[in-house]
């Protein structure tokens, strides 16, 4: 599976003119996110507070962070693909200097982020940024 760059994802989501188009784009994005192995879907990697089951793995090497994530929901997998495109291969400092909430808002996903999903996404953003 091929991952897409943040610019590609921003362009793809930005060109959506309806909630239905955005949904289709997120489902399409979900297919670009590699699936985690069953053993990786454990309580240690599970994000607490998400409406759907979401797992996030952070690996670090030479100060650079790499992320793997998965969810049992296609929509959330699409959101994860968009989120990870922002931070994949960046240093901890670069990630902490980013305004991830603003970056996410620019992807126009608010109509899909119900209050319970928003809480889950905030938990994901906190874990990504190391807070």
């Amino acid at each position: 599976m091929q991952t897409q760059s943040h610019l590609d994802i921003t362009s793809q989501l930005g060109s959506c003119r309806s909630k239905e188009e955005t949904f289709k784009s997120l489902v399409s994005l979900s297919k670009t996110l590699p699936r985690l192995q069953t053993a990786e879907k454990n309580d240690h990697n599970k994000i607490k507070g998400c409406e759907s089951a979401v797992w996030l793995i952070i690996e670090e090497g030479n100060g650079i962070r790499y992320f793997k994530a998965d969810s049992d929901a296609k929509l959330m997998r699409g959101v994860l693909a968009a989120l990870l495109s922002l931070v994949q291969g960046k240093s901890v400092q670069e990630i902490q200097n980013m305004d991830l909430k603003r970056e996410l808002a620019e992807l126009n996903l608010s109509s899909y982020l119900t209050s319970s999903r928003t809480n889950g996404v905030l938990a994901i953003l906190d874990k990504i940024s190391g807070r």
Side-chain angles (χ1 to χ4, degrees):
M1 284 184 204
Q2 182 177 337
T3 57
Q4 291 183 282
S5 75
H6 177 62
L7 290 176
D8 290 341
I9 290 171
T10 302
S11 174
Q12 180 179 340
L13 292 172
S15 68
C16 295
R17 298 290 168 233
S18 69
K19 191 173 178 177
E20 184 177 287
E21 278 184 40
T22 303
F23 179 81
K24 286 180 182 177
S25 285
L26 286 170
V27 170
S28 176
L29 276 175
S30 76
K31 296 173 185 172
T32 68
L33 193 66
R35 301 306 301 235
L36 291 179
Q37 300 295 317
T38 302
E40 294 173 310
K41 294 179 181 180
N42 57 48
D43 284 344
H44 176 74
N45 295 328
K46 192 169 186 177
I47 301 292
K48 310 290 185 268
C50 286
E51 185 176 288
S52 310
V54 174
W55 300 271
L56 177 68
I57 299 172
I58 303 171
E59 297 171 342
E60 198 169 323
N62 297 323
I64 302 298
R65 284 196 158 178
Y66 300 95
F67 301 88
K68 295 191 298 186
D70 203 350
S71 175
D72 63 353
K74 285 183 185 178
L75 180 68
M76 197 61 206
R77 284 178 47 76
V79 171
L80 286 167
L83 278 175
L84 296 188
S85 75
L86 292 167
V87 296
Q88 196 69 267
K90 292 189 175 358
S91 71
V92 174
Q93 191 62 53
E94 286 174 303
I95 294 168
Q96 289 179 345
N97 288 339
M98 296 173 77
D99 185 345
L100 293 174
K101 290 178 192 171
R102 183 185 56 77
E103 297 272 358
L104 187 62
E106 289 177 5
L107 295 175
N108 295 321
L109 301 178
S110 58
S111 61
Y112 288 99
L113 299 179
T114 60
S115 61
S116 59
R117 274 200 194 108
T118 298
N119 290 337
V121 169
L122 293 176
I124 293 166
L125 293 179
D126 285 346
K127 187 164 182 180
I128 285 172
S129 62
R131 295 189 178 119

